[in-house]
Amino acid sequence: MKKLNGLKLNHRKNTENSATVDLPVPKHVKIPMSMHMGAPCQPLVKVGDTVCVGQKIGEAEAAFSVPVHSGVSGKVTAVTDYQTAVGSVCKAVEIDCDGEQTISDEVKPPVITDKESFLKAVRESGACGHGGAGFPTYIKLNPKTPVDTIIINAAECEPYITADYREMIESPEDVINGIKYIKDILGIKNAKLAIENNKPLAIKNFTEMAANDDTIDIVTLPSSYPQGAEKVIIYNSTGRIVKEGELPSDTGVIVINVSTLAFLYRYVKTGMPLTEKRLTVDGNAVGEPKNVRAIIGTSFREILEFCKTDIDAVKKLIGGGPMMGMSIPDLDMPVVKTSNAVLAIKTYDERKTSNCIRCGRCVNVCPLGLMPAEIDRAYKIKDIESLKALKVMLCMNCGSCTYVCPANRKLAETNQLAKALIPRK
């Protein structure tokens, strides 16, 4: 089966052999009530309240949402308005930590007897996708159509990021047991653990661990970008195509990130909700690149200082990888549920844009066969019918077209703006 188009990038996995280091408990945290796709939570605590580790401090009545928990013990000092990296505003709970890390009485293994109680527990865990938009996990695991295959996304194709790889190396039992548990509780026949071929140790380990289970397939994928994108990894792992307007479950597949999966297995055993994240810290302004485990709500400044970063030299700060990550406008913004990396760059230059030379590189590299230059032309004249015909809604904003454009045109950005012109059903 021919694999989809993509980029051959220098993956710069500088921290792949850096074991995860626990960041010291911060003196103060700021925990936003919106850290996932869906309705923001409302605070359940007020100024002066004492909170403990694992305590629920935010909840939403809306179905498309997950609760927020504290990763520290201490006293609530403020409930403020907070502007997220994408510009939306939500409440944030600020806590002065007492350093004792007292565990809440709420933390106890959930009682799970069937699929329904499992999905309820997944929601209570606060789990959402560990990267990207943060899709609520309990919704993803409860599709409306029958599913026969679950794909565990362990591609980690973005340059620099090694957080998922360290999960696989440091907690392989949680990954393999998590696969078996979720497959059984949801009644899914087959599982595919999809790993890029630049992670041979992980492939070897899991191939040995799954040797006696013919329902778990270790899929070795070419090391290319954007191998970890949902539509791409589904096709390259199963040959199934997710069409425009379809969900992965419409093809009988659901996809879950490997770190999300391992977290859920630990939650089932311990009852500790999502209160911390593993992040890769790298970039040429970082003195000691490493993987750190940080409590959600810790400021990026503290993480960078812990990794001996030359703060004054930082010209660009990116949350995530260089291809799909988002600019972090303020060093004091907090780690959130979707944080998986922070890159501090000191030699960043904005390249000048020139006219399209019709070279076709953007078309050749697009995994979904789109025509970014034509989308750009249609967007400029606001030709909505042409944008529909060009299938702009299929764009997953991987940035490959922008990366290869010799004219330095911001094609991926234009694609996103063009999507906003299409009326939603």
Side-chain angles (χ1 to χ4, degrees):
M1 183 180 70
K2 182 181 178 181
K3 298 296 189 286
L4 298 178
N5 291 340
L7 288 170
K8 294 296 183 182
L9 298 174
N10 184 338
H11 281 244
R12 302 181 187 274
K13 303 293 188 180
N14 308 317
T15 58
E16 64 181 352
N17 296 318
S18 299
T20 307
V21 178
D22 288 324
L23 195 76
V25 177
K27 294 181 179 179
H28 184 84
V29 294
K30 179 185 289 186
I31 306 176
M33 295 291 103
S34 179
M35 293 186 278
H36 57 273
M37 181 188 292
C41 293
Q42 293 301 314
L44 299 176
V45 293
K46 61 183 184 302
V47 174
D49 285 354
T50 298
V51 298
C52 296
V53 177
Q55 178 179 333
K56 187 189 294 187
I57 61 172
E59 180 63 285
E61 294 182 0
F64 200 81
S65 184
V66 292
V68 175
H69 304 80
S70 174
V72 298
S73 59
K75 183 170 288 187
V76 177
T77 57
V79 177
T80 60
D81 289 333
Y82 172 76
Q83 187 172 35
T84 69
V86 297
S88 60
V89 176
C90 66
K91 294 295 183 183
V93 174
E94 299 189 35
I95 304 169
D96 279 347
C97 311
D98 59 20
E100 296 180 7
Q101 291 300 88
T102 305
I103 305 297
S104 170
D105 293 337
E106 297 175 10
V107 176
K108 48 191 173 183
V111 177
I112 298 174
T113 56
D114 54 14
K115 177 180 176 180
E116 184 178 354
S117 57
F118 171 69
L119 293 172
K120 181 180 179 181
V122 172
R123 185 187 187 281
E124 285 301 307
S125 76
C128 62
H130 273 40
F135 195 91
T137 304
Y138 82 97
I139 293 178
K140 176 175 284 192
L141 295 179
N142 189 28
K144 296 180 180 179
T145 53
V147 167
D148 58 47
T149 302
I150 181 168
I151 297 174
I152 297 85
N153 187 345
E156 199 165 48
C157 59
E158 278 260 22
Y160 293 101
I161 308 177
T162 61
D164 284 346
Y165 178 71
R166 292 313 307 175
E167 181 73 64
M168 291 188 284
I169 296 301
E170 296 172 23
S171 306
E173 293 83 5
D174 291 344
V175 174
I176 204 74
N177 289 332
I179 294 173
K180 294 175 180 178
Y181 184 89
I182 287 183
K183 186 167 62 66
D184 291 344
I185 197 74
L186 297 181
I188 298 174
K189 294 180 180 179
N190 302 303
K192 294 181 180 292
L193 177 56
I195 311 174
E196 277 194 330
N197 62 14
N198 63 351
K199 305 172 180 65
L201 180 57
I203 293 169
K204 176 179 177 294
N205 290 346
F206 286 113
T207 298
E208 293 174 355
M209 295 176 77
N212 297 322
D213 191 336
D214 59 7
T215 67
I216 300 177
D217 183 19
I218 311 303
V219 180
T220 301
L221 298 172
S223 179
S224 66
Y225 177 85
Q227 191 65 260
E230 200 166 56
K231 289 183 175 68
V232 176
I233 203 167
I234 290 172
Y235 179 80
N236 287 347
S237 298
T238 68
R240 302 179 191 183
I241 297 173
V242 181
K243 298 177 182 178
E244 184 178 17
E246 286 187 339
L247 296 171
S249 58
D250 293 325
T251 68
V253 174
I254 54 178
V255 181
I256 185 171
N257 170 268
V258 67
S259 292
T260 306
L261 174 97
F263 159 75
L264 286 179
Y265 182 74
R266 289 191 287 268
Y267 174 74
V268 167
K269 297 301 180 184
T270 67
M272 179 58 72
L274 184 57
T275 60
E276 58 185 22
K277 284 300 300 290
R278 179 190 284 107
L279 296 89
T280 299
V281 187
D282 207 339
N284 56 16
V286 179
E288 296 181 1
K290 60 185 68 176
N291 288 294
V292 302
R293 186 180 290 107
I295 293 170
I296 291 171
T298 304
S299 73
F300 285 109
R301 182 186 299 275
E302 289 190 55
I303 293 173
L304 293 169
E305 289 176 346
F306 180 76
C307 295
K308 304 295 190 293
T309 303
D310 185 354
I311 299 293
D312 294 334
V314 176
K315 288 188 176 180
K316 189 80 170 178
L317 196 62
I318 301 171
M323 297 298 292
M324 293 188 73
M326 296 187 64
S327 178
I328 300 174
D330 186 348
L331 282 169
D332 294 313
M333 293 185 76
V335 171
V336 295
K337 292 183 180 184
T338 55
S339 300
N340 62 354
V342 56
L343 306 180
I345 312 298
K346 64 180 179 181
T347 53
Y348 173 80
D349 295 309
E350 186 74 38
R351 297 182 296 175
K352 292 184 179 180
T353 298
S354 58
N355 291 330
C356 175
I357 61 172
R358 315 297 293 172
C359 66
R361 293 183 187 179
C362 57
V363 178
N364 291 335
V365 79
C366 179
L368 301 181
L370 303 182
M371 303 177 70
E374 293 303 309
I375 292 172
D376 181 65
R377 182 196 298 267
Y379 170 73
K380 286 178 178 177
I381 60 175
K382 303 297 185 285
D383 186 345
I384 294 177
E385 293 307 313
S386 290
L387 290 174
K388 290 180 181 178
L390 290 165
K391 304 293 185 183
V392 67
M393 297 304 292
L394 277 175
C395 175
M396 53 196 174
N397 201 33
C398 69
S400 297
C401 52
T402 299
Y403 183 87
V404 299
C405 179
N408 302 321
R409 302 181 69 79
K410 297 180 180 179
L411 297 169
E413 181 179 305
T414 300
N415 286 358
Q416 294 305 103
L417 294 171
K419 285 182 182 181
L421 296 179
I422 308 294
R424 300 297 178 98
K425 294 182 181 180

